[in-house]
Amino acid sequence: MLKLYIGNKNYSSWSMRPWALLQQAGIAFEEIVVRFDSFDEGSDFRKQISTVSPVGKVPVLDDDGFKVWDTLAIAEYLAERFPDRQLWPAGVQDRARARSVCAEMHSGFTALRGACPMNIEADLAGIGQLVWRDKPAVRADVARLIAMWRELLAAHQGPMLFGQFGIADAFFAPVCMRLKTYALPLPEDIAAYVRRLCDLPGVKAWVDGALAENDFREFEEPYRLRR
């Protein structure tokens, strides 16, 4: 059986992508959580994950001893390993477009990701208001998401970005978590896509797991005191 090494569900946006993809696609796997304590050399997290990943980060996919790391590489491996699940769109140009937006997510939207770290269980609407007011780069990132999602939803008639759920939706699931946690303003058609994605069983299962962790990590939340 496949094994997927992940970090804390509440915080690990990178881990969420392949986990939600596997879960929603109905691909059996064993979840192995490597709890965050810190990312410093010598931390328990680094010691544990370094035994399975040469880069010392999550997620890592283990297929009977063969290790794949990095979310894009994991997604591509799963698409080839399970072609019947149609994780990429069927058409050549649609696949190219899906890969393009995943790569854009993988390397971009740094203002949004930096100002609004994923924290599923928190209500950070107040911080979101300040971020929206004071950080034009975040507003630009959200504007790009709106334009991208609107174009794809219109082209493929929804309900997901390329019609049915696939890798592109999994890649943007952590962004949807951020948009909700920080209550960033969205037009109704885009907010509806966020709701549809969050209501998918595979995504909801991750969220439920994050809410059940109750594992406050102070170094992940310098902006918040524990109540």
Side-chain angles (χ1 to χ4, degrees):
M1 179 182 289
L2 296 173
K3 297 178 182 177
L4 184 69
Y5 292 81
I6 63 172
N8 293 47
K9 289 180 180 175
N10 193 50
Y11 303 117
S12 186
S13 58
W14 296 96
S15 300
M16 183 183 186
R17 293 169 181 157
W19 193 100
L21 181 65
L22 285 161
Q23 190 80 8
Q24 185 62 26
I27 300 170
F29 69 102
E30 177 186 352
E31 165 194 309
I32 302 173
V33 178
V34 185
R35 180 175 178 266
F36 292 154
D37 57 346
S38 83
F39 303 125
D40 298 333
E41 292 294 337
S43 67
D44 287 342
F45 171 79
R46 290 295 293 272
K47 288 177 182 176
Q48 291 181 60
I49 200 61
S50 293
T51 65
V52 293
S53 168
V55 296
K57 297 178 181 179
V58 287
V60 180
L61 183 72
D62 182 333
D63 186 2
D64 195 23
F66 179 74
K67 309 295 196 307
V68 186
W69 58 95
D70 185 275
T71 51
L72 270 175
I74 292 171
E76 290 283 10
Y77 184 78
L78 292 173
E80 293 190 24
R81 181 83 159 67
F82 300 94
D84 59 309
R85 307 307 166 98
Q86 299 180 319
L87 302 180
W88 288 122
V92 173
Q93 292 186 350
D94 287 342
R95 284 199 303 276
R97 181 58 54 83
R99 287 187 169 103
S100 294
V101 299
C102 287
E104 183 178 352
M105 178 67 253
H106 196 261
S107 62
F109 302 99
T110 54
L112 175 61
R113 287 155 54 176
C116 302
M118 191 173 88
N119 190 334
I120 291 172
E121 66 83 22
D123 179 357
L124 300 174
I127 292 176
Q129 289 180 347
L130 296 177
V131 167
W132 192 256
R133 184 192 70 187
D134 296 339
K135 294 188 178 292
V138 172
R139 298 196 297 272
D141 278 353
V142 174
R144 170 58 188 148
L145 287 169
I146 291 170
M148 176 200 298
W149 292 352
R150 184 170 278 161
E151 177 186 1
L152 293 173
L153 290 167
H156 301 281
Q157 300 299 302
M160 297 292 110
L161 295 179
F162 289 87
Q164 66 180 28
F165 174 85
I167 291 170
D169 302 290
F171 260 67
F172 286 106
V175 171
C176 292
M177 300 301 107
R178 290 174 163 95
L179 295 172
K180 289 185 63 177
T181 295
Y182 296 87
L184 301 182
L186 299 172
E188 177 52 33
D189 59 329
I190 300 303
Y193 167 69
V194 171
R195 290 193 295 270
R196 290 195 300 272
L197 185 62
C198 292
D199 285 342
L200 292 174
V203 176
K204 189 176 185 302
W206 177 276
V207 171
D208 290 344
L211 296 177
E213 281 180 340
N214 194 27
D215 187 16
F216 177 78
R217 304 279 80 204
E218 185 174 354
F219 75 95
E220 287 277 13
E221 304 193 38
Y223 44 79
R224 188 166 74 121
L225 295 176
R226 190 175 192 180
R227 293 177 181 175

